[in-house]
Amino acid sequence: MPQITYTNFEGARRTVEATPGDSVMETAVRNGVPGIIGECGGSLSCATCHVFVDESQLSDLPAMDGMEDEMLWGAAEDRRDNSRLCCQIRITPEMELRVTTPQTQV
Ligand code: FES
């Protein structure tokens, strides 16, 4: 079963089991993981699902599209090279992804 590990900006870590096909944002919200809001429900219009992906796993993910790239410039915390909007990351059957949430999403 896929697993996502969410680490907050203070280093507190939470690993949850995930369902293939769901997004990393949906999985966080459903499990009450703090630090991810997902205000727009995944329609790529809020940037409150900003995360920093473990750099060693970045290349395992499909590349972001132009809209996600554009939305990341509006995230509350400055984007980094490993920033993604996690509503756009679909969970695959073997995924064991590690992400860190920013200090603020709004
Ligand atoms: Fe709104 Fe990801 S949930 S952009």
Side-chain angles (χ1 to χ4, degrees):
M1 177 162 272
Q3 290 188 330
I4 312 297
T5 298
Y6 301 87
T7 303
N8 76 7
F9 70 99
E10 294 176 308
R13 193 171 298 163
R14 171 118 180 257
T15 298
V16 300
E17 294 194 338
T19 303
D22 286 354
S23 73
V24 174
M25 178 279 286
E26 289 166 333
T27 302
V29 170
R30 188 173 308 125
N31 287 281
V33 174
I36 295 177
I37 299 173
E39 190 173 88
C40 75
S43 62
L44 208 47
S45 58
C46 73
T48 63
C49 61
H50 182 199
V51 294
F52 307 112
V53 173
D54 185 301
E55 284 168 354
S56 70
Q57 298 185 302
L58 257 186
S59 61
D60 299 340
L61 300 177
M64 71 173 80
D65 66 16
M67 187 66 180
E68 181 183 350
D69 190 30
E70 196 171 306
M71 287 295 298
L72 270 169
W73 292 113
E77 187 162 314
D78 288 348
R79 69 184 289 173
R80 304 176 193 165
D81 290 344
N82 58 339
S83 285
R84 292 294 304 259
L85 295 179
C86 69
C87 68
Q88 301 302 300
I89 303 174
R90 287 282 149 205
I91 291 164
T92 58
E94 307 301 324
M95 185 177 264
E96 289 188 12
L97 187 67
R98 296 179 297 277
V99 301
T100 301
T101 55
Q103 187 163 3
T104 183
Q105 293 282 16
V106 291

